[in-house]
Amino acid sequence: MARKALKLASWTGMALAASGVYLYSNNYLDPNDFGAVRVGRAVATIQDLFLSFDDTPLGAASLAQVHKAVLRDGRTVAVKVQHPKVQAQSSKDILLMEVLVLAVKQLFPEFEFMWLVDEAKKNLPLELDFLNEGRNAEKVARMLKHFDFLKVPQIYWELSTKRVLLMEFVEGGQVNDRDYMERNRIDVNEISRQLGKMYSEMIFVNGFVHCDPHPGNVLVRKHPDTGKTEIVLLDHGLYQVLTEEFRLDYCHLWQSLIWPNMEKVKWYSQRLGAAELYPLFACMLTARSWDSVNRGISKAPVTCTEDSEIRSSVANYLPQISQLLSHVPRQMLLILKTNDLLRSIEATLGTRASASSFLNMSRCCVRALAEHKKKNASSFLRRTQISFSKALNLWQIDLHELGLRAKGWRLACWVSALLCWLFPIPH
């Protein structure tokens, strides 16, 4: 089985990398890529538009690279430029991916990876349209404007095209850079909580989810004027729009996982396509063992032993994981990817999901489900009852969290008293 898994990893790795192989070799800038970039979108040279332009990119990927520049009016901007010929090459790369995935299917019939090709065909054209990325950025900024810790760079529409995007330049350290946070006195636990709040709101309440939160796209900083800690969200090309039915089922499922109800975990997992593999599905969503899921993920803390067991079990369940991924709604695939990226950030920061973060998720689920019920309520009395029930549920969550904090505070007091007794401070 291990040899088979290794071969599979090699084939699928090639398939996943196929769309980037050619593009990484084209790491130069062609002035023609700027096309009609200028105020009024008239034809202009680079020199007409910029006071200065840094040739060394701030970051580069398979589709584009980002440069720092200064406009003639003094604004410092980030310029995202699509690589030359990427539009024409992308269709060839998808075809190559499809061939490789079909080859995997011939070698290992029990593995299903055609969904990789389907997702690439759907998402790549959207990622290649930088105007779409700009619209996504503005949409998420409006949706999450009540989070004062979130910064989404402003888009300069008059200077942007489908292949070039100009936006406000914002400096910061990557979200996984603990040294940067220590130097700038940024609390990693606060960042982890804020990131969890932001994504819970996107997934459960709005159903509009930024699906590429790798460290290069999530910066942290102290605001230069206020000194307040901020999260800067970049690269808005890849979003998942959740249907209302999917979003509500997902809310119910997470409520069942947080406040353990195994009957509902099974029911809503199966509604989301997991069939009889619902225990595996629950474990994949939570990154916890089935034993922890049964006990309640908000009650049982993560242990090193559990993490090790999960990692060692993955290879044994590859066929089942493949089968599961081929049957869940396509919306779930990018959500699972997003979950994994967020957990990777938590692991690097040493801030694995805590009871507090699960309670924040639960609050979002309560609000989302209540709003859906109110929208479909036929009378003022019924809407009032729903609002009262929502307030009561949120109050119960607050009370539960207060109890957890008080318990932690009492424990801290006991430990402090014990240490003082064992090691008295000399007078």
Side-chain angles (χ1 to χ4, degrees):
M1 182 64 195
R3 185 180 299 174
K4 204 170 187 180
L6 183 60
K7 286 184 180 178
L8 175 71
S10 300
W11 279 99
T12 53
M14 289 171 65
L16 286 168
S19 63
V21 171
Y22 170 84
L23 299 172
Y24 271 113
S25 66
N26 291 277
N27 56 1
Y28 60 89
L29 271 178
D30 182 348
N32 292 325
D33 280 348
F34 284 87
V37 180
R38 63 166 300 171
V39 178
R41 296 179 185 254
V43 177
T45 63
I46 296 174
Q47 290 77 11
D48 288 336
L49 184 60
F50 298 110
L51 192 63
S52 66
F53 187 95
D54 291 353
D55 291 333
T56 303
L58 297 169
S62 59
L63 301 181
Q65 56 196 51
V66 179
H67 294 257
K68 183 179 179 180
V70 179
L71 297 173
R72 290 203 167 273
D73 61 9
R75 287 179 292 176
T76 303
V77 296
V79 185
K80 184 173 182 177
V81 186
Q82 198 171 110
H83 287 310
K85 305 179 180 66
V86 68
Q87 296 272 356
Q89 183 64 27
S90 61
S91 58
K92 299 176 186 176
D93 291 334
I94 290 176
L95 178 60
L96 175 58
M97 181 187 293
E98 190 166 6
V99 169
L100 290 171
V101 169
L102 287 172
V104 170
K105 179 67 176 173
Q106 290 297 316
L107 288 171
F108 310 110
E110 67 271 33
F111 292 102
E112 289 284 349
F113 285 106
M114 190 51 67
W115 54 267
L116 282 171
V117 180
D118 295 337
E119 287 301 295
K121 287 179 178 177
K122 182 184 74 174
N123 293 320
L124 191 54
L126 295 175
E127 292 189 80
L128 290 174
D129 182 354
F130 289 173
L131 296 180
N132 178 67
E133 178 177 340
R135 290 189 291 270
N136 287 342
E138 291 195 339
K139 183 175 180 179
V140 81
R142 288 193 303 271
M143 283 182 169
L144 303 182
K145 63 183 179 182
H146 53 290
F147 289 145
D148 60 358
F149 59 79
L150 174 62
K151 171 66 177 176
V152 177
Q154 180 184 351
I155 304 297
Y156 298 131
W157 290 107
E158 73 278 12
L159 303 173
S160 298
T161 72
K162 283 190 173 185
R163 298 178 63 188
V164 180
L165 187 67
L166 266 75
M167 66 203 97
E168 175 186 5
F169 178 78
V170 182
E171 288 188 288
Q174 290 192 1
V175 71
N176 63 344
D177 190 343
R178 290 185 66 104
D179 291 338
Y180 174 88
M181 294 193 207
E182 287 175 10
R183 289 196 307 271
N184 290 273
R185 298 182 181 179
I186 295 173
D187 184 349
V188 294
N189 292 298
E190 180 187 2
I191 291 297
S192 189
R193 284 193 300 270
Q194 290 173 341
L195 204 56
K197 283 183 181 179
M198 188 170 78
Y199 269 88
S200 292
E201 192 85 7
M202 280 194 268
I203 293 169
F204 299 115
V205 178
N206 295 309
F208 185 69
V209 190
H210 179 284
C211 288
D212 202 11
H214 70 73
N217 290 340
V218 185
L219 307 183
V220 294
R221 70 167 189 169
K222 287 287 185 73
H223 191 282
D225 297 325
T226 65
K228 186 177 178 61
T229 300
E230 288 185 329
I231 292 176
V232 183
L233 194 60
L234 306 174
D235 198 342
H236 300 270
L238 186 59
Y239 271 74
Q240 181 65 68
V241 179
L242 307 180
T243 64
E244 186 170 67
E245 180 183 9
F246 176 94
R247 181 174 60 85
L248 296 174
D249 283 343
Y250 198 59
C251 283
H252 281 297
L253 176 56
W254 268 102
Q255 285 288 72
S256 305
L257 290 164
I258 295 168
W259 311 101
N261 184 325
M262 290 303 105
E263 277 190 30
K264 288 187 176 180
V265 167
K266 179 179 179 180
W267 170 254
Y268 286 107
S269 294
Q270 291 182 335
R271 278 183 60 85
L272 290 168
E276 293 309 308
L277 292 173
Y278 71 91
L280 176 62
F281 185 53
C283 294
M284 287 172 63
L285 282 177
T286 60
R288 303 296 302 274
S289 68
W290 181 238
D291 180 60
S292 293
V293 170
N294 274 276
R295 285 186 288 148
I297 55 174
S298 62
K299 298 176 182 177
V302 183
T303 64
C304 294
T305 302
E306 183 183 0
D307 271 346
S308 178
E309 287 175 357
I310 291 170
R311 283 194 297 270
S312 63
S313 298
V314 169
N316 296 328
Y317 287 99
L318 275 176
Q320 292 88 342
I321 291 171
S322 168
Q323 181 185 345
L324 184 59
L325 292 177
S326 68
H327 286 89
V328 296
R330 300 297 80 161
Q331 302 163 76
M332 181 60 72
L333 299 175
L334 284 178
I335 295 295
L336 287 169
K337 173 197 171 186
T338 303
N339 286 349
D340 285 343
L341 288 169
L342 292 172
R343 286 197 193 100
S344 175
I345 292 171
E346 287 178 348
T348 305
L349 296 180
T351 57
R352 282 296 298 270
S354 63
S356 179
S357 66
F358 285 129
L359 294 178
N360 282 327
M361 290 173 68
S362 188
R363 287 186 180 96
C364 285
C365 292
V366 167
R367 287 167 44 216
L369 293 170
E371 286 307 308
H372 172 71
K373 291 177 183 176
K374 282 175 68 175
K375 187 171 68 173
N376 293 288
S378 57
S379 68
F380 174 77
L381 177 60
R382 178 59 184 147
R383 287 192 291 273
T384 302
Q385 289 173 333
I386 294 167
S387 295
F388 179 77
S389 178
K390 179 183 78 170
L392 181 61
N393 287 332
L394 293 174
W395 179 77
Q396 288 174 329
I397 294 172
D398 291 342
L399 195 61
H400 182 73
E401 186 170 34
L402 187 62
L404 290 175
R405 288 180 179 176
K407 185 178 179 181
W409 180 78
R410 287 197 301 272
L411 178 62
C413 289
W414 292 337
V415 171
S416 178
L418 178 62
L419 289 174
C420 289
W421 180 71
L422 291 172
F423 307 102
I425 298 173
H427 292 84

